[in-house]
Amino acid sequence: MRFSTIALCASLAATPSLAQQTAPDLVQLAQGAGMFRTLLTAAEAAGLVDTLRGTTELTILAPTDDAFAALPEGALEGLLADPKALGDVLKAHVVAGRVDAAALLTGGKAETLGGAVWKVRIEDGRVRIGDASAVRTDLIARNGLVHAIDRVLLPAAETPAPASAEDTGDAEVYDAGRARLVAEERKAATQVIAAVLDAGGPAAELAEAADEASTLLVHSPATARRLRDAAQAARSGGGDSAALEREVERALGDLRFEPYVEAELPLGWPRTAPVGEVVLKAYPRYRMAKTGMAQRGGTTTPFFALFNHIKRNEIAMTAPVQMDYTEGNERQASMAFLYAYPTQGDSGQDARDDRVDVVDIAPSMAISIGGRGYEMAQTTAALRARLEAWLAAHADTYEAAGPLRTMGYNSPMVPANRRFFEVEMPVRPVAAATATTDSKTSQAAGAR
């Protein structure tokens, strides 16, 4: 009898429900919903329509038409012209099997056929999948489910991963989830400090508020240390309220600062680094127009060489502008404008200006620190020292993989108090660097 019961349960589990039997397939469901027209066009261009009509059960994290419309200008057209890249993006929205919203939330993640893994959680009463919010969930198809989302999810940069989480310690990639966590902590710390500053409380109260705020800044250790040091200095100096207030106000300015980004970011670009904090970023493959810095004339000549290039080729201006330094980090070596997506335009030398080369940059990693104001040499050097200190602290897991660079997000017209830039250093996991060296050594030995 026990065997018969198990067999019956297995039979029922394998039998589609009445709702499933009478439901449309995934393509028909998307057509009938009226908000997935762009997704269907993309699926057809990528050759995935037959898969969505098949018998294999799939769960689609389906960006709406509005989600596709929110991509950077020209990005969708570029993807439609590149079926492989388009297929990679679409597969990052497909989960094997029939996985409803409750199961996604229970598991805490959505593992896609493209290899991307998106965090799933509840925020502000809404289901969040990666960077997107679910608009509608559990739309039933004969061969799967559809969850409508309000953003196109972009696959993570293909960067070499360390062997284990223990190898990286606290050096976690600054993804969208971590950026939100940092922002929430900084907002909470701001409220604690501002309440005392606005009330004009005595030095003892401000020192206490600075200490309390520092405990909230778990993922902003440099700013937390500034606040603790200022509070300690005030106590040991007999309560110097003026010095404490100046330092706390400076820290508060960094905590409150919101980067002003004047143009669209390239497709899949990571979040901007917080002011005063070193973070580890993963960059996707991207394309850029690059020119060397003139011996004389500062940045004006290279800027207009690049500007005329993108204007001739009808390439939209993006942010940031990348400035690479020489190997010894003594001076700026080149300037680059970034394309909106990696298949836009053509790579190679500009046919009308041999000073400009369009080059493709492979997926990579970098450590980055946000800065306010103008990119003065003294400021850049101080931020570079912070990056070097981070590398020294994580020498067992990461090493430098290229010269210093800056990312500028503002034009000269933006006033100093609103300007934002990043100082960065490309890095790679030590294990990856060792493997590359060993491989080259083996190849050389074989050649001999």
Side-chain angles (χ1 to χ4, degrees):
M1 182 65 69
R2 181 173 178 272
F3 175 80
S4 300
T5 302
I6 294 174
L8 176 61
C9 290
S11 174
L12 289 173
T15 304
S17 68
L18 180 60
Q20 291 172 226
Q21 294 179 54
T22 58
D25 63 36
L26 287 165
V27 172
Q28 292 168 334
L29 174 62
Q31 289 171 335
M35 57 180 170
F36 302 119
R37 291 184 292 272
T38 309
L39 177 61
L40 289 170
T41 299
E44 185 173 353
L48 298 176
V49 170
D50 287 345
T51 301
L52 298 180
R53 289 189 185 278
T55 56
T56 301
E57 291 198 330
L58 302 169
T59 297
I60 312 300
L61 311 175
T64 63
D65 293 332
D66 288 342
F68 277 104
L71 287 172
E73 182 179 355
L76 178 59
E77 290 76 7
L79 286 170
L80 290 173
D82 186 345
K84 183 182 183 305
L86 179 61
D88 290 343
V89 170
L90 294 182
K91 288 173 186 175
H93 293 77
V94 182
V95 177
R98 184 181 291 269
V99 187
D100 61 22
L104 286 175
L105 286 166
T106 300
K109 60 185 178 180
E111 300 184 27
T112 68
L113 297 183
V117 180
W118 309 114
K119 293 180 183 178
V120 182
R121 69 277 181 206
I122 295 288
E123 281 185 10
D124 299 325
R126 305 187 71 179
V127 177
R128 295 278 294 174
I129 303 172
D131 263 354
S133 291
V135 178
R136 294 179 64 186
T137 59
D138 298 336
L139 300 174
I140 297 174
R142 170 183 54 76
N143 56 340
L145 289 173
V146 171
H147 305 301
I149 57 177
D150 64 357
R151 288 189 65 169
V152 178
L153 299 170
L154 299 170
E158 300 165 20
T159 51
S164 69
E166 288 75 17
D167 292 335
T168 59
D170 62 353
E172 297 181 21
V173 172
Y174 190 66
D175 59 10
R178 192 169 178 86
R180 278 193 297 273
L181 179 61
V182 169
E184 289 167 3
E185 290 177 355
R186 291 168 81 91
K187 182 179 179 181
T190 295
Q191 292 171 344
V192 170
I193 298 168
V196 179
L197 274 177
D198 293 344
E205 286 186 15
L206 186 55
E208 188 175 327
D211 278 335
E212 182 182 348
S214 72
T215 65
L216 300 172
L217 296 170
V218 177
H219 297 92
S220 295
T223 308
R225 186 171 58 252
R226 284 172 63 188
L227 291 169
R228 286 195 302 270
D229 289 349
Q232 180 59 35
R235 292 190 185 100
S236 54
D240 184 352
S241 60
L244 174 62
E245 188 170 330
R246 283 194 301 271
E247 185 55 36
V248 169
E249 284 182 341
R250 282 195 289 267
L252 186 60
D254 287 351
L255 290 170
R256 281 177 164 166
F257 186 81
E258 294 184 9
Y260 176 42
V261 180
E262 291 184 85
E264 292 283 348
L265 299 175
L267 189 67
W269 206 249
R271 303 296 179 92
T272 54
V275 172
E277 299 293 339
V278 179
V279 295
L280 178 65
K281 288 189 177 186
Y283 279 97
R285 177 168 65 99
Y286 65 99
R287 177 169 286 176
M288 66 182 185
K290 181 178 181 180
T291 187
M293 298 297 289
Q295 293 299 315
R296 298 178 184 275
T299 60
T300 302
T301 299
F303 179 90
F304 279 104
L306 295 173
F307 181 78
N308 290 330
H309 164 81
I310 64 171
K311 186 176 179 181
R312 281 194 305 272
N313 292 280
E314 299 182 343
I315 304 293
M317 185 75 183
T318 66
V321 172
Q322 180 173 322
M323 304 287 289
D324 286 356
Y325 280 64
T326 56
E327 284 295 334
N329 300 327
E330 298 91 0
R331 60 181 180 82
Q332 294 172 336
S334 64
M335 177 186 289
F337 286 5
L338 312 185
Y339 282 24
Y341 50 93
T343 57
Q344 186 180 25
D346 298 310
S347 60
Q349 191 176 73
D350 187 322
R352 294 178 59 181
D353 189 342
D354 60 8
R355 297 172 299 174
V356 177
D357 290 303
V358 179
V359 297
D360 292 322
I361 308 300
S364 60
M365 302 184 85
I367 49 175
S368 177
I369 184 170
R372 297 166 57 190
Y374 289 101
E375 299 170 43
M376 308 296 287
Q378 184 176 0
T379 305
T380 301
L383 295 180
R384 182 186 75 191
R386 296 278 305 281
L387 297 179
E388 291 169 345
W390 189 98
L391 268 181
H394 297 83
D396 57 337
T397 49
Y398 288 98
E399 67 179 11
L404 194 75
R405 68 189 183 204
T406 61
M407 298 287 189
Y409 288 82
N410 304 126
S411 65
M413 286 75 74
V414 176
N417 65 342
R418 296 199 66 194
R419 297 183 68 82
F420 174 77
F421 65 97
E422 293 168 306
V423 179
E424 297 192 340
M425 189 176 292
V427 297
R428 64 189 169 203
V430 171
T434 303
T436 301
T437 302
D438 290 346
S439 176
K440 289 179 179 178
T441 303
S442 299
Q443 290 173 9
R448 290 196 294 270

